[in-house]
Amino acid sequence: MDSVERQAAWKDLVAWVTWLHDRYELGMEERLPPCWAEHPGLIEEFYALKAWREEIYESAQPSGQAARYWHAEMRQTIHAALTFYAAGCRAEHQGATDPAQANDRLQRRWAAADHTAGIPSHLLRPSRTSSRPDSDVFLTNATMGQNRLVGRVQPLSQTVHNIVRYDGSWWVSTNGGWLRVTDTDMAAKCNERAEVLARADAAVARRQARETTASYERG
């Protein structure tokens, strides 16, 4: 993402974490550390949780089982926030029990946090503007990025993001933009690969759910 896209994505993430905080009552006992926005690892965790939830709930074929896996992973992330990322922060912060949306001080603090902390400098360089305009078979990175932000883009899998499903077709990332897959054989192979990777993602989710359950039982 370029700097404009990063700022838009950060604003969207803060709004989403605010919703998560209030919807799941994470203000109780400071289950979500108020300093989450100052821990780069937690930023990555929540960004992934947000993307995963959007994939589940905005899918043309919603899955209740996948939603259950998401909730298990969300609880594991909140546990990690307290015990791993912000283990030493509880004594240093004044916890607020009021909703995050109504806490102006907390909102200003979250919005002003450096969301680029820990990202290598070469990844923060301004993106080159493609001289090629959008067309039926080509989209710029900026255009695809905007569609990704509003949930119109589905990656091939949770781990493969350079091939995506958008506007009824598969698209492949190239230098300077995205090319629509127009070859029917290649499109068919993408469909087959997506099914295989979906099963693999589901297997990983089941394993994580079992590990989470075992962790809670041990605790």
Side-chain angles (χ1 to χ4, degrees):
M1 292 185 286
D2 59 28
S3 60
V4 174
E5 290 169 335
R6 282 196 300 271
Q7 288 294 334
W10 178 244
K11 181 178 179 181
D12 193 39
L13 181 63
V14 169
W16 185 81
V17 174
T18 298
W19 168 84
L20 186 78
H21 175 280
D22 295 348
R23 182 64 170 174
Y24 291 91
E25 302 177 295
L26 301 181
M28 296 178 62
E29 300 178 349
E30 286 190 0
R31 293 172 182 168
L32 174 62
C35 57
W36 73 267
E38 297 159 29
H39 291 275
L42 269 179
I43 292 175
E44 296 294 334
E45 293 264 18
F46 283 128
Y47 197 87
L49 271 181
K50 178 178 179 296
W52 187 16
R53 190 181 193 280
E54 289 171 350
E55 289 178 2
I56 295 171
Y57 283 84
E58 296 177 12
S59 171
Q61 296 180 331
S63 168
Q65 186 179 45
R68 290 300 303 155
Y69 292 149
W70 180 90
H71 279 85
E73 184 65 24
M74 183 270 291
R75 290 190 294 270
Q76 184 67 16
T77 299
I78 296 303
H79 178 71
L82 292 172
T83 61
F84 180 76
Y85 292 108
C89 296
R90 292 178 68 91
E92 300 178 11
H93 292 294
Q94 294 284 329
T97 58
D98 57 313
Q101 183 64 50
N103 191 326
D104 292 338
R105 180 186 61 80
L106 202 56
Q107 285 290 296
R108 288 195 298 271
R109 178 178 177 179
W110 286 1
D114 181 10
H115 57 284
T116 64
I119 300 177
S121 60
H122 70 276
L123 295 179
L124 297 176
R125 295 171 184 169
S127 299
R128 294 180 179 179
T129 302
S130 173
S131 59
R132 185 175 178 179
D134 290 334
S135 67
D136 290 340
V137 296
F138 176 83
L139 290 178
T140 63
N141 288 322
T143 299
M144 188 64 81
Q146 288 299 322
N147 283 298
R148 190 189 297 271
L149 286 175
V150 297
R152 296 174 183 166
V153 176
Q154 180 75 25
L156 185 67
S157 77
Q158 294 181 26
T159 56
V160 179
H161 297 270
N162 61 340
I163 302 176
V164 301
R165 185 79 176 176
Y166 168 70
D167 193 30
S169 299
W170 290 105
W171 297 73
V172 178
S173 177
T174 64
N175 291 331
W178 294 78
L179 291 176
R180 186 193 294 268
V181 175
T182 56
D183 182 86
T184 55
D185 289 339
M186 183 176 179
K189 290 180 180 178
C190 287
N191 288 330
E192 294 174 0
R193 191 61 179 167
E195 292 179 1
V196 171
L197 291 175
R199 290 194 292 270
D201 288 341
V204 171
R206 288 194 295 271
R207 184 185 66 186
Q208 291 176 337
R210 289 194 298 270
E211 292 175 351
T212 299
T213 300
S215 176
Y216 280 116
E217 290 176 348
R218 288 194 300 270

